[in-house]
Amino acid sequence: GCSPTGFPVDSWIEAEDGVLTPPMTIGTSDSVTYVSTPTDESGSVGFTFNVTAAGNYKIIAMVFALDGDSNSFFVGLGG
């Protein structure tokens, strides 16, 4: 398959499929499902995946922010 940006992908993980830590919750709007938190800098979504071959990989996140003051998110990778 391909991501929305055209890069080949072997895995696609939706945010709502992760392990949510409150106050992070799953929401829907029309046909779109998403995760969000009502509290600044609170809650998280965790994912576990295995990389079986050495190489260069891309992690792409699609993010929607209400405004320029609310447009940050943090990514951490551990091995």
Side-chain angles (χ1 to χ4, degrees):
C2 281
S3 71
T5 56
F7 292 102
V9 295
D10 292 327
S11 254
W12 187 270
I13 303 171
E14 298 286 343
E16 59 272 16
D17 294 332
V19 176
L20 277 63
T21 302
M24 192 69 69
T25 60
I26 297 173
T28 57
S29 177
D30 298 322
S31 63
V32 177
T33 304
Y34 57 89
V35 296
S36 66
T37 180
T39 308
D40 289 350
E41 299 182 31
S42 295
S44 64
V45 182
F47 304 95
T48 300
F49 59 93
N50 295 310
V51 176
T52 58
N56 295 319
Y57 294 87
K58 288 184 187 240
I59 296 176
I60 300 170
M62 294 187 295
V63 178
F64 174 78
L66 296 176
D67 56 45
D69 293 328
S70 305
N71 63 356
S72 297
F73 72 103
F74 302 92
V75 175
L77 297 171

